[in-house]
């Protein structure tokens, strides 16, 4: 394996000059840089990445913490973030927070110990005040994705989940539904609380009665959607529509309603949230709230790079959800 001294000898420059080229020092002429790079290429010289990171205080990596390494939601976000980071000549290191404070803090510490140049955090349980303190005390830029904290507005990439919940519920109200069940995500998560707030706002603006009995807290899984429909049946409630806080639960709810003998959407309309790929292929195709999950990844990566000193285009900090109407909803007869 070639050494830095062999490169300096072939390029007829000092070892210090080779080191400056390797570390991206701008105080090297273009002619000298080209000579050094040519010598490195000829000898197959590979600089030690750890030594380079110590010299430049840059690891050329961005760390990302997400809730779950599986599923289409996080898969799309990770993929788009990795593409954006790779285009900037860096690498993305991803780990999971596993929905506990201890695990989220452990994941962050794991990445900081690897000297990442920035952090992209999708956190569900770590309190706002702890995240603010982390941002204030961290030596690297921190970006929050799918979460907004007012004190860190210029570090957040988010979607208006309150509006998303409102749009889903208002669509059902516009179709004549007056008794609408709501299957929420875990209410310790801010996105679930905001979607529920949007649901309640639409109900009350339509002069309908908000009924806690029509609300079931669940877990964002398909099985959770099935179980929620069973729970509603045990409550012996009459409802003609369901708003589920994600598509997984919506599909689970659809399957259980069919098992109960319900015709969809004639006897029960369903609205989901996220617009994952499967939403258009289930039967009936799922009406849902579309959010730009892939753009979350791209924009959070761009913001992390920008906060780290890279020149990036304008950042989109907040996205508006949109209603995508398919065949799982119809006018109440």
């Amino acid at each position: 394996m070639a050494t830095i001294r062999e490169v300096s000898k072939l390029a007829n420059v000092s070892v210090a000059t080779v080191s400056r080229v390797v570390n991206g020092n701008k105080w090297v002429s273009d002619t000298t840089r080209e000579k050094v790079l040519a010598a490195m290429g000829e000898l197959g010289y590979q600089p030690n990445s750890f030594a380079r990171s110590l010299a430049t205080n840059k690891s050329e990596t961005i760390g990302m913490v997400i809730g779950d390494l599986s599923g289409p939601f996080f898969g799309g976000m990770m993929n788009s973030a990795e593409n954006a980071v790779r285009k900037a000549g860096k690498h993305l290191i991803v780990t999971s927070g596993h929905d506990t404070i201890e695990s989220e803090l452990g994941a962050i510490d794991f990445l900081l110990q690897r000297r990442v140049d920035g952090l992209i955090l999708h956190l569900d349980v770590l309190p706002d005040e702890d995240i603010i303190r982390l941002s204030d005390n961290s030596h690297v830029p921190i970006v929050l994705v799918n979460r907004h904290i007012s004190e860190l507005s210029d570090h957040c990439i988010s979607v208006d989940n309150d509006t998303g919940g409102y749009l889903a519920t208002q669509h059902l109200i516009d179709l004549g539904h007056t008794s609408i069940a709501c299957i929420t995500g875990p209410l310790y998560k801010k996105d679930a609380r905001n979607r529920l707030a949007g649901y309640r706002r639409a109900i009350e603006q339509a002069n309908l009665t908000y009924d806690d009995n029509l609300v079931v807290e669940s877990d964002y899984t398909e099985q959770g959607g099935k179980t929620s429909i069973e729970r509603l049946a045990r409550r012996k409630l009459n409802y003609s529509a369901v708003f589920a806080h994600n598509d997984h639960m919506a599909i689970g709810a659809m399957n259980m309603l069919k098992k109960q003998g319900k015709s969809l959407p004639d006897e029960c309309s369903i609205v989901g949230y996220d617009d994952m790929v499967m939403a258009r292929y289930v039967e009936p195709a799922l009406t849902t709230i579309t959010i730009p999950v892939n753009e979350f990844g791209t924009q959070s990566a761009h913001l992390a790079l920008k906060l780290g000193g890279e020149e990036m285009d304008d950042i989109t900090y907040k996205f508006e959800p949109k209603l995508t109407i398919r065949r799982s909803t119809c006018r109440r007869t």
Side-chain angles (χ1 to χ4, degrees), residues 170-180 240 330-332:
Q170 188 60 52
H171 170 63
L172 294 168
I173 292 171
D174 290 343
L175 291 174
H177 297 279
T178 56
S179 183
I180 302 167
S240 61
C330 71
R331 184 163 294 279
R332 185 187 180 198

Side-chain angles (χ1 to χ4, degrees), residues 25-198:
N25 191 306
K26 64 182 180 179
W27 303 113
V28 179
S29 70
D30 291 341
T31 301
T32 300
R33 179 176 285 103
E34 288 174 5
K35 285 171 56 180
V36 171
L37 292 175
M40 288 169 61
E42 183 176 336
L43 294 172
Y45 174 71
Q46 295 292 327
N48 184 299
S49 59
F50 181 72
R52 181 178 178 183
S53 71
L54 289 175
T56 64
N57 206 28
K58 294 282 186 180
S59 66
E60 306 302 332
T61 60
I62 299 292
M64 187 176 194
V65 177
I66 60 171
D68 189 347
L69 292 174
S70 64
F73 183 92
F74 288 115
M77 188 188 301
M78 285 188 288
N79 184 62
S80 56
E82 198 274 339
N83 285 338
V85 169
R86 186 67 68 94
K87 286 179 181 177
K90 299 178 185 289
H91 292 275
L92 186 70
I93 303 175
V94 182
T95 187
S96 174
H98 292 294
D99 289 347
T100 70
I101 290 178
E102 292 77 12
S103 292
E104 287 184 348
L105 287 172
I108 292 168
D109 186 57
F110 166 82
L111 293 170
L112 290 175
Q113 287 186 32
R114 276 140 188 86
R115 303 173 61 87
V116 294
D117 300 331
L119 286 172
I120 300 170
L121 305 178
H122 188 290
L123 304 176
D124 288 313
V125 293
L126 198 64
D128 287 0
E129 56 268 25
D130 288 353
I131 297 173
I132 293 169
R133 191 178 306 112
L134 175 68
S135 181
D136 288 344
N137 296 330
S138 177
H139 62 279
V140 300
I142 288 175
V143 173
L144 297 178
V145 59
N146 200 25
R147 181 165 175 174
H148 182 266
I149 298 176
S150 297
E151 293 87 345
L152 301 174
S153 288
D154 56 351
H155 288 239
C156 298
I157 305 295
S158 63
V159 65
D160 189 342
N161 280 303
D162 183 296
T163 294
Y166 179 88
L167 289 173
T169 311
Q170 188 60 52
H171 170 63
L172 294 168
I173 292 171
D174 290 343
L175 291 174
H177 297 279
T178 56
S179 183
I180 302 167
C182 182
I183 303 174
T184 78
L187 291 175
Y188 69 83
K189 297 188 177 187
K190 195 170 184 177
D191 58 355
R193 296 197 301 275
N194 288 342
R195 291 171 198 182
L196 179 60

